[in-house]
Amino acid sequence: MSDHRTYKKIEVVGSSTVSIEDAINNALAECAKSVRNMDWFEVTETRGHIVNGKVAHYQVGLKIGFRIADS
């Protein structure tokens, strides 16, 4: 049998007041609480919230791919 796998994707948005990287890590950490077999992510969008001319929040849209059980 070959080593092919089947994946499912979900879309989430992570946020952070610190950085884009922190927003990604926040999203992955939250998803890891309920999603098993996460293997990869794709950043689909990056945006932020501005207050008084400065970044208040970073927001990052992600697609997270995870293996379907027993795949």
Side-chain angles (χ1 to χ4, degrees):
M1 196 84 202
S2 66
D3 195 26
H4 295 292
R5 304 221 185 265
T6 302
Y7 294 88
K8 183 162 178 71
K9 293 190 292 187
I10 57 173
E11 293 187 54
V12 298
V13 176
S15 66
S16 169
T17 58
V18 177
S19 68
I20 291 170
E21 184 177 325
D22 196 48
I24 292 169
N25 287 325
N26 288 344
L28 293 175
E30 196 62 32
C31 285
K33 293 177 182 177
S34 59
V35 178
R36 294 177 299 156
N37 303 321
M38 292 190 306
D39 276 352
W40 55 268
F41 71 91
E42 171 187 354
V43 174
T44 57
E45 56 187 337
T46 305
R47 62 181 172 271
H49 178 226
I50 302 167
V51 175
N52 297 324
K54 296 182 181 180
V55 176
H57 288 91
Y58 298 91
Q59 299 172 331
V60 180
L62 301 172
K63 288 184 181 179
I64 299 173
F66 59 95
R67 277 178 283 112
I68 295 176
D70 300 326
S71 172

